[in-house]
Amino acid sequence: SLGWLGGNGRVPASPPSIVVEQVPLNNVLAICSERLKVGRDIDTPETRASLLELWGTFDGVLGPPRLDLPKTLHVSDLDCVECSIAIKSTLKQLEGMDLHACDARPELVVPAFRKERIRSQMQLLQFQLSDQALRLIPEFHQRLEVMQHLEFVSSERTVQLKGRVSRELNTVHQELIVTQMIFENVLTPPAAGPEEIVALLSAFVYDGKESEPDAILPHSLVEAKQQTARIARRIGQLQEEVNLEGRLPIDEFMRKSMHFGLIEVVYHWAQGMPFGEICQLTEILEGSIVRCIVRLDEACREVRNAARITGDSVLFQKMEQASALIKRDIVFASSLYVS
């Protein structure tokens, strides 16, 4: 095989040898526009002579003429055409460089190529080590400030008791609010039973868009809702104070953080009302009700684990009772088709 890059484009002094090799596609620099017809035996004196004659007509700077792929193969893809134009422009710039006529070109090009590659690697590493690579670093610091205000994290960025509790809450979609509810005893008022607690937790498990119905709820549950709303508003105001990126307006934050669409349904389900009757209390589909109650059972276990961390035996017992009250009947049947 004849190497144009290795031989500076000049005709070899010794007779060339012709071999057939299989190379990866990414090793193909270009396709030559000139063709040489050969027989079954490609390595013959006639073929070598024809190859030497053809090689002598090549430009010593640019090498063999390149095939114009868009024109020859009728390629109309815009990216391919633009790439072909860019290659032609680069080749014209190379043609005007004196380096290609220098006998020491290989000795000069290889070190320069290695230097450029090292410089590119250094730029990449410097970018990866810079703050610019961390696009979310401002938001990270703002959220960290919110958690420090709420005492989830200390000033030394050490996870506090509240932070350990919030890590246990994976089913609810607002860990900060539920954690604050645990520490402010919203879930353990003396007048509230496990039915009220599990109904209140449904606001952080149910993710439907239905508006809250006009539910008739006990006074203790209404008061717990109001306390929860005050906690959510306080967290929303805190996010505004630290200028959190991507934050929602306070009212919208509260509306999207808590969905009370199934609070009455869950409350009556925990009291023992049959499934057919609770479906008459709302227009929400039965599948959504089942999914919410199943997820509530998991949320009860997570809050129970949080109570174990905080040492709150009252909350621990109420969560066990709440889980037992909702885990019944057709909602937790192994199969709705055979049970």
Side-chain angles (χ1 to χ4, degrees):
S1 62
L2 289 175
W4 165 69
L5 290 177
N8 270 348
R10 297 185 177 87
V11 179
S14 59
S17 61
I18 302 177
V19 295
V20 178
E21 293 184 357
Q22 184 175 355
V23 297
L25 182 61
N26 56 1
N27 285 357
V28 178
L29 182 63
I31 301 177
C32 181
S33 61
E34 299 291 337
R35 291 181 294 176
L36 182 64
K37 294 183 178 181
V38 297
R40 295 178 61 89
D41 186 8
I42 61 173
D43 193 7
T44 61
E46 292 79 9
T47 303
R48 288 197 294 268
S50 301
L51 185 58
L52 283 173
E53 182 180 357
L54 179 62
W55 191 266
T57 63
F58 293 163
D59 189 343
V61 174
L62 300 180
R66 298 166 181 252
L67 185 68
D68 191 342
L69 294 178
K71 181 178 180 180
T72 305
L73 302 181
H74 306 287
V75 178
S76 58
D77 182 72
L78 181 60
D79 293 337
C80 182
V81 174
E82 291 180 349
C83 184
S84 178
I85 294 175
I87 291 175
K88 290 179 181 178
S89 176
T90 303
L91 290 176
K92 287 184 179 180
Q93 295 178 7
L94 291 175
E95 190 175 4
M97 295 182 179
D98 298 333
L99 177 63
H100 294 282
C102 180
D103 294 334
R105 181 170 65 94
E107 291 78 6
L108 297 175
V109 169
V110 173
F113 175 78
R114 291 176 179 172
K115 181 179 179 181
E116 179 64 22
R117 183 173 59 182
I118 293 174
R119 188 184 65 83
S120 300
Q121 293 175 350
M122 288 177 58
Q123 289 181 343
L124 177 61
L125 293 174
Q126 289 173 351
F127 174 76
Q128 292 175 346
L129 292 174
S130 66
D131 291 342
Q132 295 178 353
L134 301 175
R135 293 179 296 177
L136 300 178
I137 194 66
E139 183 179 354
F140 166 76
H141 287 298
Q142 292 161 358
R143 292 189 180 276
L144 184 62
E145 187 176 355
V146 171
M147 290 189 290
Q148 287 175 342
H149 277 290
L150 296 174
E151 298 181 349
F152 283 68
V153 181
S154 68
S155 57
E156 292 80 15
R157 298 187 180 183
T158 303
V159 179
Q160 302 297 305
L161 181 59
K162 284 186 178 181
R164 292 172 55 198
V165 168
S166 65
R167 290 189 304 182
E168 299 292 331
L169 306 176
N170 301 311
T171 304
V172 298
H173 49 72
Q174 277 295 337
E175 299 88 346
L176 294 183
I177 298 178
V178 177
T179 302
Q180 288 294 114
M181 291 168 61
I182 293 174
F183 279 85
E184 296 184 19
N185 298 321
V186 177
L187 300 178
T188 55
E195 301 91 346
E196 288 88 346
I197 296 176
V198 72
L200 186 61
L201 285 177
S202 68
F204 303 97
V205 172
Y206 176 61
D207 54 1
K209 304 302 181 184
E210 294 83 356
S211 59
E212 180 184 354
D214 296 329
I216 301 177
L217 303 173
H219 175 72
S220 59
L221 185 53
V222 173
E223 186 177 350
K225 279 182 57 180
Q226 295 173 351
Q227 289 178 309
T228 303
R230 287 194 291 268
I231 292 174
R233 179 173 294 276
R234 189 165 69 247
I235 293 178
Q237 291 174 345
L238 185 57
Q239 292 178 350
E240 284 197 348
E241 291 176 6
V242 301
N243 197 25
L244 179 65
E245 293 185 9
R247 68 184 184 279
L248 298 173
I250 295 179
D251 293 337
E252 186 177 356
F253 169 76
M254 295 178 60
R255 186 173 62 254
K256 290 190 175 183
S257 298
M258 302 173 294
H259 303 281
F260 293 104
L262 286 179
I263 186 170
E264 182 183 19
V265 170
V266 174
Y267 174 72
H268 288 294
W269 174 256
Q271 285 189 320
M273 182 180 289
F275 187 77
E277 293 183 16
I278 67 169
C279 291
Q280 304 300 321
L281 300 175
T282 180
E283 297 180 353
I284 299 174
L285 297 177
E286 293 85 349
S288 299
I289 298 175
V290 171
R291 183 167 56 252
C292 176
I293 296 175
V294 172
R295 293 183 61 194
L296 263 176
D297 180 59
E298 179 64 26
C300 287
R301 288 198 295 268
E302 293 174 356
V303 176
R304 184 186 61 189
N305 294 335
R308 182 186 290 112
I309 294 176
T310 60
D312 191 339
S313 59
V314 176
L315 180 61
F316 184 89
Q317 293 176 359
K318 286 190 175 183
M319 286 297 99
E320 283 191 331
Q321 295 171 3
S323 180
L325 289 175
I326 64 174
K327 196 172 183 180
R328 63 177 179 87
D329 205 8
I330 192 173
V331 173
F332 287 88
S334 57
S335 173
L336 298 179
Y337 298 98
V338 298
S339 299

